[in-house]
Amino acid sequence: MQQPKLEVRTKQLIEVDGHQFKDLNGNGQLDPYEDWRLPAEERVQDLIQRMTIDEKIGMMLITSQPMGKSQKDASKTSHDGLLDEAEIEAGTNIFVTEKKYGSTYHIENLHLRHFILRDNWDEQDIAEWVNAMNEVSEGTRLGIPTIIASNSRNENAERTFGMNDAVGVFSTWPSTLGLAAAALGDQAAGKGTSIFTEFAETVRKEWTATGLRKGYMYMIDTVTDPRWQRIYGTFGESTELITDATVQLIQGLQGKQLNTESVALTMKHFPGGGARENGFDPHYAEGKFNVYKTPGSLEKYHLPPFQAAAKHGVSSIMPYYSIPSAEKSFPQTYKGEKIPFEAVGFAFNHFFIHDLLRGELGFQGYINSDSGVLDNMSWGVEDLDKEDRAAKAVNAGTDIISDTNQVEWIKKAYESGKISEERINEANARLLLEMFHLGLFDDKTYVDPAQAKKVVADQNNWDKAYQVHQKSTVLLKNQNVLPLKEGTKVYTEFFHKEAEAAANYTKDTREKVKKHQGIELVDSVKDADVAIVFLYPKSGNYFSATPGLLELALCENKINRAVDGSKYSETTIQEMDRVFEIAEEIHAQGGQFLLSVNSNMPWLLDNVEPLSDALVANFETLIEAQLDVFTGKVAPAGKLPFTFPKNEEVIAVDENGECVSRNDVPGYDKDLYMPEGMTYAYTDADGNTYKLGYGLTY
């Protein structure tokens, strides 16, 4: 084996047999876990024998850790401001209430080695921070390094905690739905779906250069309920496409096997988060059940992406919070055998983790819980204390608990005999094996911030991303509007749920139209040939339930009925009347109305499509890329990654909580179960049906 280039900052290098090794425990000898020539499995077992129970338990938690640059009080930082050392007596977020400690305390005293980065600083800042975290880790008794996880950072979106924590630093692609739309377009054109591989390989290069080696990504859930607020983080409703994407993402980010150039993935949310009950999400109590009304839906629609993830060696899988509902579901089977539904969340569910995921699907990696399962999202075990919740999760097969530093609950469960040291060792072996394979104990502990800047600045990667933005635009309707003729006079406005955001977006959009070749920006509708309106609707929050069903209509101050029978008002777009006014005004003078809807959810289009002479679905697609399509610089190529519902009637829910259309079946198959005479998908006046795989071109 070739000598790796080793760097130490607090320990020493030793020489044995003409090779250099890190003396991570400082004993002046070469121990097996320090010997890069040995198989990772052998090194893992040697290290576990040297670890104390506290060090092992610390490995089994991962917590969010802010960077020092986010700390406004410089006295609460260390390492030249890189590390945040603040302590907060009762830090509270949507997941947990607990005391928050500084970086060094977490590493040295609580023995944590897994951290989630949610800050949005640039690539050099991140690289320097990762190095500082590892410098502290190297200085501990055994020198076990730190590994940093993050939610995805390469998709365009407005920043959202827990989903799009960061955006705009790394090469910026459309949303995952946009990737799916572009891939479906390429597939329809006979080009295959290699967009996922190109995306994954780019992400891998940027992340490894920066020191981010663990991705809490991607959501390989199959969308089956249109009201699920997290649809915008998925790849849509095609189980086949999601499964294909899963394989390409694993191979592009991890490689055929996990190695020193990999980004290790945690794919989620097993066994599929799409089977929502009328859209409610398990981040809150109203959505704590997965409901399978349809025979065979779990095996047919939801499990295949996870089968592929397990088969192709994904490093980790995250179970969802929810409880499989035996009471409300049709009995589900796998390979002809009935699946037992224990009434506990999937992180606590022994059958789903141990028997199904590990036994039947053959998963070899580790189980990473979702955030807050010991605290605010402990569905099915709310009556247990935290010690027993920890024991239930770990004994069910969960190897690491997410977004907490509460080591005491696993420790107490161990001391009371509820968790064996053998099980703790098993979890540690899985967690440490990932770190050894990634090279974090050897030559990949530290990264070069200057190299990180060079890699992220590579224009080739940004150009690839831009081309996918262009491809992600889906043309739904076109009544001789597009492509716009040379010299077309354009009036444009941008509408958003927040008025201030709408004003800022409108200003930015007008600047982009002004600079775009082939069209002319005008200041009023009366001077325009075509009015282009961009809509950015938003509905709900996946951390809290709306009073009633999540609103999918494009509306302002719409009166809805809450679950408790009371009335409340809902807005997904501010100043909707202005949208109708623009359409009426442009039509009155013989002009045309072009509407582009940011389709981060399958919105109800029945009130806007009839107004539109051309209608476009975009998926966090850059305005410039859309303008390229509108002007014919590139032809529209995207295809819908999900089905738009026809109207409110096809997603109506009765007083017993029963939805007209099946919550556990994707849109393209919902007609199999619709009442006689009803169809699910939206069809426009031209006879176009807005279902999975649809999209026009010119």
Side-chain angles (χ1 to χ4, degrees):
M1 293 179 68
Q2 186 175 356
Q3 165 77 56
K5 186 178 179 181
L6 304 177
E7 177 184 352
V8 289
R9 297 194 175 186
T10 63
K11 297 289 176 65
Q12 301 295 318
L13 295 176
I14 56 176
E15 188 168 316
V16 177
D17 299 331
H19 297 296
Q20 285 190 325
F21 304 87
K22 293 182 180 182
D23 185 15
L24 291 172
N25 61 8
N27 66 358
Q29 302 175 13
L30 177 61
D31 298 301
Y33 86 95
E34 300 164 336
D35 191 341
W36 45 262
R37 299 170 300 182
L38 296 177
E41 292 78 4
E42 186 175 335
R43 299 176 72 184
V44 165
Q45 291 306 317
D46 177 72
L47 178 55
I48 287 173
Q49 293 174 21
R50 299 171 188 274
M51 294 169 71
T52 65
I53 192 64
D54 288 331
E55 289 166 340
K56 294 174 186 177
I57 290 171
M59 282 290 296
M60 295 174 67
L61 300 178
I62 179 170
T63 192
S64 296
Q65 185 64 60
M67 292 168 56
K69 286 199 71 169
S70 298
Q71 175 53 252
K72 295 179 181 178
D73 184 349
S75 69
K76 296 179 179 178
T77 66
S78 69
H79 294 71
D80 296 323
L82 291 172
L83 300 187
D84 185 345
E85 304 292 6
E87 291 189 7
I88 305 172
E89 194 61 39
T92 301
N93 59 35
I94 54 108
F95 302 122
V96 61
T97 298
E98 63 185 11
K99 184 172 182 178
K100 292 293 186 181
Y101 298 96
S103 307
T104 299
Y105 190 93
H106 273 145
I107 294 169
E108 293 183 347
N109 297 75
L110 299 184
H111 310 290
L112 270 60
R113 290 298 185 274
H114 294 81
F115 297 95
I116 306 169
L117 175 63
R118 300 192 186 275
D119 292 350
N120 195 35
W121 298 103
D122 72 29
E123 66 281 358
Q124 285 185 284
D125 294 325
I126 294 171
E128 289 169 354
W129 175 73
V130 171
N131 287 346
M133 293 286 283
N134 268 308
E135 184 175 328
V136 174
S137 296
E138 184 187 306
T140 60
R141 189 178 74 89
L142 294 172
I144 299 171
T146 283
I147 183 168
I148 306 299
S150 171
N151 284 302
S152 52
R153 290 172 174 259
N154 287 76
E155 297 93 72
N156 189 43
E158 294 182 338
R159 287 186 69 189
T160 305
F161 175 80
M163 280 290 295
N164 301 93
D165 293 315
V167 66
V169 171
F170 298 104
S171 61
T172 304
W173 303 62
S175 68
T176 48
L177 287 170
L179 292 172
L184 285 167
D186 273 2
Q187 188 177 58
K191 301 175 184 177
T193 58
S194 61
I195 279 172
F196 295 121
T197 293
E198 293 173 8
F199 170 73
E201 290 176 347
T202 301
V203 173
R204 179 185 57 78
K205 292 173 186 174
E206 293 178 347
W207 282 42
T208 54
T210 312
L212 298 178
R213 304 301 302 281
K214 183 71 185 178
Y216 269 178
M217 55 199 190
Y218 290 87
M219 288 176 60
I220 57 173
D221 311 278
T222 302
V223 171
T224 54
D225 190 309
R227 293 189 181 98
W228 185 32
Q229 214 269 346
R230 298 196 74 180
I231 287 173
Y232 69 92
T234 72
F235 295 100
E237 70 180 22
S238 169
T239 304
E240 182 179 355
L241 182 76
I242 299 164
T243 302
D244 179 20
T246 297
V247 175
Q248 291 191 56
L249 291 166
I250 292 170
Q251 293 180 345
L253 279 148
Q254 292 191 174
K256 294 291 185 182
Q257 292 182 320
L258 210 61
N259 60 71
T260 58
E261 301 301 321
S262 299
V263 172
L265 296 176
T266 296
M267 288 184 154
K268 52 189 182 178
H269 304 85
F270 181 77
R276 309 277 18 95
E277 186 177 19
N278 302 322
F280 291 114
D281 188 90
H283 279 92
Y284 45 82
E286 291 87 343
K288 65 182 177 180
F289 291 106
N290 265 25
V291 178
Y292 306 95
K293 293 286 187 184
T294 309
S297 64
L298 174 58
E299 184 175 17
K300 180 178 181 180
Y301 301 118
H302 299 280
L303 282 178
F306 294 95
Q307 290 175 292
K311 179 180 178 180
H312 291 273
V314 71
S315 190
S316 176
I317 286 177
M318 180 181 289
Y320 215 16
Y321 298 112
S322 41
I323 300 167
S325 174
E327 179 183 352
K328 299 181 180 181
S329 299
F330 189 92
Q332 298 294 310
T333 60
Y334 185 75
K335 294 183 178 179
E337 297 293 325
K338 183 178 178 181
I339 297 175
F341 278 8
E342 182 185 1
V344 295
F346 290 114
F348 306 98
N349 202 303
H350 188 273
F351 176 85
F352 271 88
I353 292 176
H354 184 270
D355 296 358
L356 182 57
L357 182 54
R358 290 205 182 279
E360 293 290 343
L361 273 59
F363 176 59
Q364 298 295 311
Y366 66 84
I367 301 296
N368 193 134
S369 86
D370 214 330
S371 301
V373 297
L374 299 188
D375 296 88
N376 296 349
M377 291 85 173
S378 56
W379 309 131
V381 296
E382 298 98 320
D383 292 340
L384 300 181
D385 60 25
K386 288 188 181 181
E387 175 185 332
D388 287 335
R389 292 176 191 174
K392 177 77 170 169
V394 172
N395 290 329
T398 297
D399 298 301
I400 186 168
I401 307 293
S402 185
D403 231 347
T404 181
N405 60 20
Q406 297 178 70
V407 294
E408 63 267 26
W409 302 118
I410 297 178
K411 180 71 174 293
K412 288 179 179 179
Y414 163 75
E415 290 175 338
S416 61
K418 295 171 183 173
I419 303 175
S420 69
E421 187 161 10
E422 179 183 16
R423 172 68 189 103
I424 290 172
N425 288 347
E426 179 183 55
N428 270 259
R430 292 170 179 157
L431 295 162
L432 286 166
L433 191 61
E434 177 182 81
M435 297 173 74
F436 275 107
H437 281 315
L438 292 174
L440 295 178
F441 280 84
D442 303 313
D443 58 336
K444 300 298 181 179
T445 313
Y446 302 105
V447 293
D448 179 357
Q451 179 65 14
K453 183 176 180 64
K454 180 180 178 181
V455 170
V456 172
D458 185 345
Q459 189 60 43
N460 184 53
N461 295 334
W462 291 83
D463 290 344
K464 285 181 182 178
Y466 187 78
Q467 290 167 9
V468 178
H469 277 277
Q470 293 173 321
K471 289 183 176 184
S472 72
T473 305
V474 180
L475 180 59
L476 300 175
K477 176 183 177 182
N478 186 23
Q479 296 179 331
N480 300 314
V481 181
L482 301 177
L484 298 175
K485 297 178 178 64
E486 182 82 19
T488 297
K489 294 179 180 178
V490 169
Y491 175 82
T492 189
E493 277 192 52
F494 196 111
F495 294 83
H496 191 277
K497 184 172 182 175
E498 306 296 335
E500 183 179 352
N504 292 334
Y505 279 125
T506 294
K507 181 180 178 182
D508 182 63
T509 299
R510 287 176 174 166
E511 286 298 315
K512 289 178 169 59
V513 171
K514 187 185 298 184
K515 294 176 182 177
H516 207 276
Q517 290 186 340
I519 53 178
E520 179 186 343
L521 177 70
V522 296
D523 294 331
S524 65
V525 178
K526 65 181 176 61
D527 297 324
D529 302 313
V530 175
I532 304 178
V533 167
F534 296 89
L535 299 186
Y536 198 129
K538 287 196 167 185
S539 188
N541 182 318
Y542 71 92
F543 292 127
S544 57
T546 48
L549 300 170
L550 191 79
E551 184 57 70
L552 290 182
L554 302 174
C555 62
E556 181 178 20
N557 298 325
K558 179 186 173 188
I559 301 303
N560 285 341
R561 189 168 295 278
V563 174
D564 64 8
S566 62
K567 293 182 179 180
Y568 70 102
S569 124
E570 187 67 84
T571 292
T572 57
I573 287 283
Q574 288 272 7
E575 298 191 42
M576 270 303 294
D577 285 347
R578 173 63 181 157
V579 176
F580 302 136
E581 180 184 303
I582 294 170
E584 183 177 351
E585 188 176 348
I586 193 72
H587 285 145
Q589 64 195 46
Q592 295 172 308
F593 185 67
L594 166 58
L595 184 67
S596 178
V597 182
N598 188 27
S599 301
N600 46 22
M601 295 188 71
W603 304 106
L604 296 175
L605 303 174
D606 51 345
N607 66 333
V608 295
E609 177 274 318
L611 303 173
S612 309
D613 302 297
L615 181 62
V616 168
N618 77 82
F619 303 91
E620 304 289 355
T621 307
L622 295 173
I623 295 293
E624 300 96 320
Q626 293 187 62
L627 293 175
D628 288 341
V629 173
F630 299 166
T631 57
K633 183 177 180 180
V634 295
K639 304 295 181 184
L640 285 179
F642 55 55
T643 301
F644 284 98
K646 178 183 292 185
N647 50 36
E648 290 188 334
E649 284 70 32
V650 302
I651 56 173
V653 176
D654 67 19
E655 63 277 6
N656 299 315
E658 295 288 336
C659 187
V660 172
S661 48
R662 294 292 175 92
N663 304 132
D664 59 332
V665 173
Y668 66 85
D669 260 356
K670 286 189 189 290
D671 282 355
L672 297 174
Y673 307 97
M674 296 296 289
E676 187 175 352
M678 290 186 76
T679 55
Y680 179 78
Y682 186 83
T683 300
D684 66 21
D686 294 337
N688 302 311
T689 300
Y690 299 174
K691 62 182 180 181
L692 172 72
Y694 168 73
L696 300 172
T697 190
Y698 42 78

